[in-house]
Amino acid sequence: MFRTAVRNVLAHKARLLMTVLAVMLGVAFVSGTLVFTDTLGNAFRNQSAKNYDDVAVAVTTWAERGDEETAAVDKATLEKIQGLDGVAEATGRVSGFAGVADPDGKLIGNGWSNTGSNFAPGADGEDAQYDFTEGTGPVEAGQVALDRATADKGGYRVGEKVRVATNGPVEEYTLSGVFTTEDGAVNAGGSLVLFDTAVAQRLYLRPDEFRDVTVVAEPGASDSALLAAVKPLLPENAEAKTGAVLADEQAEDIESGLKNLNQILLVFAAIALFVGIFLIANTFTMLVAQRTRELALMRAVGASRRQVKRAVLLEAAVVGAIASVVGFALGLGLAVGLRSATSLFGGKIPGGPLVISPTAVLSAFGVGVLVTVLAAWLPARRAAKIPPVAAMNSVNAVATPRSLVVRNSIGGAISLLGAAAIVSGALIGNDGRMIIGVGAFFALIGVIVLIPLLSRPVIALVRPALSKLFGVSGKLAAQNAVRNPRRTGATASALAIGLTLVTGISVLGVTLGQAIDRMTTDHIKADYHVSMASGGPLDASALTALEKADGVEAVSPQQSVWLTVGDEGLSASGVTPGDVEKVLAIDTVSGSLGSLADGEIAVAEKTAKSNGWKTGDSVRVTFQDDKKETLKIGAVFEQNEFVSPVLVSTDVVGPHESMPSIVEIYVKMEGGASDASEQAVVDALGDNPAMSVMDQQGIRDMFGGFVNTALNLMYGLLAMALVIAVLGVVNTLAMSVFERQQEIGMLRAIGLDRRRVKRMIRLEAVVIALFGAVVGVALGTFLGWAIGKTIAASVPGYALVIPWDRLALFLALAGLVGVLASLWPARSGAKLNMLTAIKTE
């Protein structure tokens, strides 16, 4: 039976090609994901181990500039550590944000991973952590060194001036050297600037103090013994660990992060394979129907039902194995491509070999063979039921559709169950997402079961139009599309699944995007928004500079403040009285925001209700310096997503904070937004590359941009499933043409020319593709509505938006898919010799 199965595969290799491609793509997705994440994990683990290879003990504190309470490691303590027995070297480090401007004044790097640190030379004048390829490390206040990638991007050479921004004003330094590093910030697409130690301490901490210390042991010294000797010398808040422990912890963090990425990619791979099941099942169903006489002859010469079933399943296993081999090779190429593509997004993966784990190999081959065999099980079962007497037929019998009553009843019940779960989950709200997920699964299965029933009435609606527009070709195409409802349903199901997911994501994404867009335009009056590219706080000098700039009508910061009322902590925004109303739309429920100028506070309505406060009440608050004041509530305002629940004047909180945490600054210009106004803001900030200045459109893009990014990522990941669905259409049409050779020959004999034969097959493909698309778009819109209801309460101004333009585009693309998928089958059908076709059995 195995030899028979292999011969059958070779005999029908052209008809099995699309099945092989579908399984191959799914396996490639799975194996590529596993190899890619294994390679990433191995590379980062090796880098982590290398970074801590010479570290015996690492000391970490959480001291920050301006934070006088949290102790750091001072110079005297560092010298004591250096003097311990067994210590070869102890190096102190400080670090923070540092951004380098390119020749055009733009920031080099992604902002959030642009880092500055100190050059800490040993007795030999070298810093073992950095390998200098040009020049030397900075040893004077006016010098810096840059990593190789940043120097190349900026076109900087040793001896040239470099503009560097930290959280304060931009300063110019002389480039003393260029180095290479495996620092994580640089690998993440950022930059690394090295300062002289004294300069770094002034910028990031305090003179003669270090945030971190790394200890290198002398040969033969015990890491644990050094750890025990170092700990008593450290301040209370410091944490000390051996390098081996830190390397293990970092490896675990890397493993955890990559596990999440792995799961996301594998979910989309599973979707692609699920879509492929319909293609495989359709292929083997049609092959069994076309080989009725052959299989009946096997029964007639003594083959049992079990042997026939086993033969078909063996064919599927052989196809799955072949597809798995090719798919795994393709997956290796995909992993290499993903690794290379990472650099296009500014990332850098440490060097290392491609890791092919036994898990990746077994998973790829197991999935490929298992999916193919499972998909072929029903066709194999039908093949086993073919009676020996069928061998007496003069032609291969085409399986006639049996009653679909049972199938339709089951499909209807499952669909209703799924729809009920989806609606109930939507009504529950935030806690109903899991119910919607379960309901979506049942609804999708139910619709797939019902698709053969749905195909007849839906396609019947377009039959008159097809006949009118395309004559006989259109009429025949509509009839062919519903001739075998099961086949049409299975082909359309693949497209329906992909478009259900794409449509649901689109409805939800567009609705969220427009809600965020409305929220931004309704609440922000400012012409410009200023923030740090790193996401950190702005220096107070930026606010002062903007307040003094020409053409500025109003400017207010969003200063992060923490207040304590009784035992409860409250987040507050420090704002400029009088100006905050001009840059932000804050609607009051009672009182007036003008009271902020009198030292009073404004409270959000929800916060006021939860605490039983009203306008005129006095509240005893504790500031972060532990000083207390009684503040009067001068206004209650409607909830606003752009400010904290409490508003307070910067004059009130100023005396309590030595270094205010200014998250962002809103600016309104006298002449409104213009190129000149924007340049005035940029100039006032000292043309600082680390500070982002955005206009109204930029503000909208900032808040809504992540939605578009997520949508595009989802579209890209779902593309594999849609490609497999297209292969299903091609395969069904190609095998259908083969099955209908005699019929096509007869049509040609009675006057249907080649052009009309092509048109008939193309229209059949378009009808099937559009049918699947309509089902997918309808179900996807329903799911998008339901999921949206669960997040509506947390998104102000949420209102369902049906993206009619995108839905129309999806349907148009489905029609185009039908046309493209029919090119080869239509050409094959038109080229049939009518006499040969008529004689075909």
Side-chain angles (χ1 to χ4, degrees):
M1 296 306 290
F2 178 75
R3 288 195 300 270
T4 302
V6 173
R7 281 199 300 268
N8 281 327
V9 169
L10 296 175
H12 301 104
K13 51 184 177 291
R15 280 176 269 175
L16 289 168
L17 176 62
M18 296 302 168
T19 299
V20 171
L21 287 174
V23 180
M24 179 189 75
L25 290 173
V27 170
F29 208 147
V30 172
S31 58
T33 294
L34 294 173
V35 172
F36 176 61
T37 51
D38 286 346
T39 300
L40 251 65
N42 181 68
F44 283 116
R45 279 191 296 272
N46 288 343
Q47 181 195 45
S48 175
K50 183 179 178 181
N51 288 343
Y52 290 105
D53 190 39
D54 296 327
V55 177
V57 176
V59 178
T60 304
T61 71
W62 286 266
E64 297 287 345
R65 180 170 172 245
D67 178 10
E68 302 296 334
E69 296 183 0
T70 305
V73 177
D74 57 27
K75 186 177 180 180
T77 302
L78 178 62
E79 289 175 349
K80 290 179 182 177
I81 295 173
Q82 290 170 335
L84 291 173
D85 290 338
V87 173
E89 184 180 330
T91 306
R93 302 284 182 190
V94 287
S95 60
F97 170 77
V100 179
D102 65 14
D104 296 325
K106 303 298 182 182
L107 182 69
I108 298 175
N110 52 31
W112 58 269
S113 60
N114 287 15
T115 309
S117 187
N118 63 303
F119 175 68
D124 59 356
E126 301 290 336
D127 189 330
Q129 193 163 339
Y130 308 106
D131 182 15
F132 279 82
T133 57
E134 295 179 34
T136 61
V139 291
E140 298 177 5
Q143 295 180 333
V144 292
L146 299 177
D147 67 272
R148 176 84 270 167
T150 302
D152 289 343
K153 289 175 185 176
Y156 291 118
R157 297 184 179 278
V158 173
E160 294 182 347
K161 293 291 184 181
V162 180
R163 296 178 71 243
V164 180
T166 53
N167 280 15
V170 181
E171 295 184 35
E172 276 199 348
Y173 298 86
T174 300
L175 184 63
S176 66
V178 177
F179 58 89
T180 58
T181 178
E182 289 297 323
D183 187 275
V186 177
N187 288 334
S191 62
L192 180 59
V193 182
L194 296 182
F195 300 92
D196 173 65
T197 296
V199 174
Q201 289 171 329
R202 172 178 62 81
L203 292 172
Y204 301 127
L205 195 55
R206 297 178 286 267
D208 294 329
E209 292 191 356
F210 301 92
R211 182 178 294 124
D212 307 311
V213 175
T214 55
V215 179
V216 178
E218 292 180 343
S222 166
D223 292 356
S224 56
L226 283 178
L227 179 65
V230 167
K231 278 187 173 181
L233 303 177
L234 303 177
E236 290 183 7
N237 70 298
E239 182 179 72
K241 295 180 180 179
T242 63
V245 169
L246 284 173
D248 290 341
E249 289 180 355
Q250 197 169 82
E252 288 178 9
D253 291 341
I254 292 167
E255 196 76 33
S256 176
L258 290 175
K259 183 179 179 181
N260 295 331
L261 173 64
N262 204 17
Q263 289 174 346
I264 292 170
L265 292 175
L266 287 177
V267 165
F268 287 94
I271 292 170
L273 286 166
F274 183 61
V275 171
I277 285 174
F278 294 93
L279 189 159
I280 299 164
N282 229 10
T283 301
F284 278 93
T285 297
M286 295 174 76
L287 280 176
V288 167
Q290 292 167 9
R291 290 161 51 199
T292 302
R293 189 178 181 190
E294 173 192 331
L295 295 171
L297 281 170
M298 289 176 62
R299 291 293 315 282
V301 297
S304 66
R305 287 188 174 186
R306 182 177 295 178
Q307 286 177 313
V308 171
K309 182 178 177 181
R310 191 182 300 158
V312 176
L313 292 178
L314 278 172
E315 289 179 38
V318 171
V319 170
I322 294 170
S324 296
V325 171
V326 181
F328 186 76
L330 187 63
L332 296 181
L334 179 63
V336 173
L338 286 172
R339 182 172 179 174
S340 301
T342 304
S343 60
L344 298 177
F345 296 95
K348 179 185 174 185
I349 299 175
L354 197 67
V355 177
I356 304 173
S357 66
T359 302
V361 177
L362 293 175
S363 297
F365 281 83
V367 164
V369 175
L370 184 63
V371 166
T372 311
V373 171
L374 285 177
W377 184 79
L378 279 176
R381 189 167 173 269
R382 293 193 191 107
K385 292 182 178 181
I386 295 174
V389 72
M392 297 173 63
N393 292 341
S394 60
V395 294
N396 290 330
V398 178
T400 57
R402 295 177 300 167
S403 172
L404 295 174
V405 173
V406 175
R407 175 175 178 149
N408 294 338
S409 300
I410 294 172
I414 295 174
S415 298
L416 287 174
L417 177 65
I422 292 170
V423 172
S424 62
L427 295 176
I428 290 172
N430 188 50
D431 297 327
R433 290 174 198 154
M434 184 63 71
I435 299 173
I436 291 175
V438 174
F441 174 76
F442 282 107
L444 197 59
I445 296 299
V447 168
I448 290 169
V449 174
L450 278 177
I451 270 186
L453 172 67
L454 296 173
S455 63
R456 289 186 181 276
V458 172
I459 295 175
L461 291 175
V462 300
R463 185 183 299 171
L466 288 173
S467 299
K468 186 175 181 180
L469 292 173
F470 302 102
V472 175
S473 296
K475 183 178 180 180
L476 290 172
Q479 290 175 347
N480 289 335
V482 293
R483 177 185 294 181
N484 191 325
R486 284 191 178 89
R487 184 185 301 168
T488 298
T491 306
S493 293
L495 271 173
I497 293 167
L499 281 173
T500 294
L501 298 172
V502 170
T503 301
I505 290 168
S506 297
V507 170
L508 188 61
V510 171
T511 300
L512 273 175
Q514 292 200 17
I516 293 171
D517 193 60
R518 282 195 301 272
M519 183 172 63
T520 304
T521 54
D522 291 348
H523 290 90
I524 297 178
K525 297 180 182 178
D527 296 314
Y528 298 103
H529 172 275
V530 178
S531 62
M532 287 295 292
S534 63
L538 290 153
D539 191 80
S541 61
L543 178 61
T544 303
L546 289 170
E547 288 172 337
K548 294 179 180 178
D550 293 335
V552 173
E553 179 184 338
V555 58
S556 177
Q558 165 80 288
Q559 182 176 328
S560 179
V561 179
W562 189 254
L563 304 175
T564 305
V565 179
D567 295 329
E568 182 185 1
L570 281 177
S571 174
S573 293
V575 297
T576 303
D579 283 5
V580 67
E581 304 98 311
K582 296 178 182 179
V583 297
L584 295 173
I586 303 174
D587 299 322
T588 55
V589 176
S590 61
S592 170
L593 291 179
S595 61
L596 293 171
D598 300 324
E600 298 178 1
I601 60 174
V603 182
E605 186 177 17
K606 185 177 178 180
T607 302
K609 284 182 178 179
S610 64
N611 288 279
W613 295 338
K614 61 182 182 300
T615 301
D617 289 350
S618 294
V619 180
R620 187 72 172 170
V621 303
T622 304
F623 293 93
Q624 285 181 285
D625 61 355
D626 291 332
K627 293 183 180 179
K628 299 184 179 185
E629 284 189 29
T630 299
L631 301 176
K632 184 179 178 181
I633 299 176
V636 174
F637 61 91
E638 292 181 4
Q639 206 71 24
N640 190 304
E641 298 300 315
F642 294 93
V643 292
S644 299
V646 176
L647 298 182
V648 59
S649 170
T650 51
D651 293 335
V652 173
V653 298
H656 303 283
E657 296 188 351
S658 58
M659 290 190 66
S661 178
I662 301 174
V663 179
E664 54 202 352
I665 302 173
Y666 292 100
V667 184
K668 190 169 183 62
M669 305 298 289
E670 290 176 352
S674 66
D675 291 342
S677 295
E678 183 172 348
Q679 191 59 50
V681 173
V682 171
D683 291 341
L685 295 170
D687 195 16
N688 192 322
M691 292 185 186
S692 171
V693 178
M694 290 180 290
D695 58 12
Q696 279 275 358
Q697 186 59 49
I699 297 171
R700 292 162 67 182
D701 292 342
M702 176 182 69
F703 288 106
F706 76 93
V707 175
N708 292 327
T709 301
L711 272 177
N712 292 332
L713 179 61
M714 294 291 186
Y715 290 157
L717 291 173
L718 287 171
M720 186 72 75
L722 293 174
V723 168
I724 292 175
V726 172
L727 293 177
V729 178
V730 176
N731 199 44
T732 298
L733 286 173
M735 297 185 73
S736 179
V737 167
F738 178 83
E739 189 177 87
R740 287 158 32 201
Q741 287 184 70
Q742 189 178 63
E743 175 189 321
I744 292 172
M746 292 294 293
L747 288 172
R748 292 274 289 110
I750 61 175
L752 196 69
D753 58 23
R754 290 183 176 180
R755 181 172 58 86
R756 289 179 180 176
V757 169
K758 284 184 179 180
R759 183 185 298 168
M760 176 187 71
I761 296 171
R762 287 192 191 119
L763 288 173
E764 182 181 347
V766 171
V767 167
I768 293 173
L770 284 175
F771 169 57
V774 167
V775 173
V777 166
L779 185 55
T781 302
F782 179 47
L783 288 176
W785 163 81
I787 297 171
K789 293 291 285 184
T790 66
I791 61 175
S794 58
V795 180
Y798 183 94
L800 180 67
V801 177
I802 305 296
W804 297 109
D805 54 342
R806 297 198 187 196
L807 300 189
L809 177 62
F810 295 157
L811 293 175
L813 289 175
L816 179 61
V817 161
V819 173
L820 295 176
S822 68
L823 291 178
W824 173 45
R827 186 170 178 270
S828 299
K831 287 176 64 179
L832 286 174
N833 182 285
M834 68 177 73
L835 294 178
T836 304
I838 289 172
K839 292 190 296 182
T840 300
E841 292 188 356

